[in-house]
Amino acid sequence: LVCEHLIADYSRKGFVDGRSVRLMTVTVRPGRPNGAASSFFSGIIREPLAGEEAICPVDASVSHPLTSPARTVEGLIAACEASVEALGGRLALNLPSVNARVSDMLDALEAVAGRAVRERVRFVRDPVVAGIVANWPAGASAGRAAALGLRPDRDFADIIRQYIADCRAAPDGGAAALAGLQQHEDRDP
C-alpha cells in the first residue's frame, strides 16, 4: 500500500508515469516448489501432473484468487499501456482472477487429468502455512480491470489446460513436467 501511494504521488508530481498492479496468485508456475507460503497452489497441480506426490498444507475449503501466467502478463501489459483516464483516475488496480477453493482446484485437476493424478495430492496440515493463508483474502474482484477489457480465466480447468499446453510447447515436449499425465493418457482409450 505504501508503494502504491508513492507511485500515485510521484505520478501526480510528474516524476514518473506509474501504475500499480495487484497480482493474484499466479498458478500453475513452472519449476520446483519454493519456500513461499503460496507455493502449494501451484504444487498441488504441477507435481501430480509430473507423476509426483504433492502435499497440500491447508484444508480443501480454503478459497483464494488465482490466475494463469498468460492472464497475468496480459494484465501487466494492459495496465502499462492504459491511460490515466482509462484507469478511472486511480493508478492501482487488481488483475482479474478465478476465486477457487482448493477442492475446486483438485476437481478441475481430476476433470482434466484423471483420478489417479488427483490422488497424488495428500493433505498434511502445516499450521504455519495454514495460519498465513488464513489471513489472505478468500477472493478478489477486478471491476476496474474489466473496464480495460481484461477478463479472468474461464475457470480453473482452463488454467490447468494452459499449463499443459505450455509444457507441451517446451523443447522436450514437457516429458518430465507431464510424466504423470502421460501415464493417465496411456491408460485412457
Side-chain angles (χ1 to χ4, degrees):
L1 182 59
V2 170
C3 290
E4 287 181 11
H5 283 290
L6 282 172
I7 290 169
D9 193 43
Y10 286 7
S11 293
R12 180 183 61 80
K13 291 177 179 178
F15 299 151
V16 298
D17 180 15
R19 309 287 186 273
S20 298
V21 179
R22 298 179 197 115
L23 304 180
M24 301 301 122
T25 298
V26 180
T27 307
V28 176
R29 291 185 306 240
R32 300 302 305 161
N34 61 36
S38 62
S39 182
F40 76 89
F41 284 113
S42 286
I44 63 173
I45 306 301
R46 181 185 55 233
E47 274 64 63
L49 286 171
E52 300 172 15
E53 180 181 78
I55 303 297
C56 183
V58 300
D59 187 75
S61 65
V62 167
S63 181
H64 193 65
L66 306 162
T67 187
S68 66
R71 289 285 186 250
T72 301
V73 170
E74 176 183 276
L76 289 169
I77 293 168
C80 178
E81 294 177 345
S83 67
V84 173
E85 295 76 29
L87 289 169
R90 292 177 45 215
L91 300 179
L93 75 151
N94 289 345
L95 290 186
S97 64
V98 172
N99 296 316
R101 294 182 312 258
V102 168
S103 60
D104 299 329
M105 296 172 69
L106 297 177
D107 289 346
L109 179 63
E110 183 173 343
V112 171
R115 182 143 190 81
V117 174
R118 178 190 178 142
E119 288 176 350
R120 292 187 186 115
V121 178
R122 286 190 315 118
F123 285 87
V124 178
R125 182 173 164 67
D126 180 326
V128 173
V129 173
I132 292 169
V133 173
N135 289 303
W136 291 348
S141 61
R144 292 181 48 244
L148 294 176
L150 297 171
R151 301 284 178 259
D153 296 282
R154 190 175 49 169
D155 54 30
F156 195 75
D158 270 0
I159 293 174
I160 295 171
R161 287 185 199 100
Q162 285 178 40
Y163 174 73
I164 292 169
D166 289 345
C167 289
R168 287 184 171 148
D172 69 351
L178 300 177
L181 180 61
Q182 187 61 45
Q183 294 166 4
H184 165 71
E185 290 174 340
D186 289 345
R187 279 182 267 169
D188 206 15

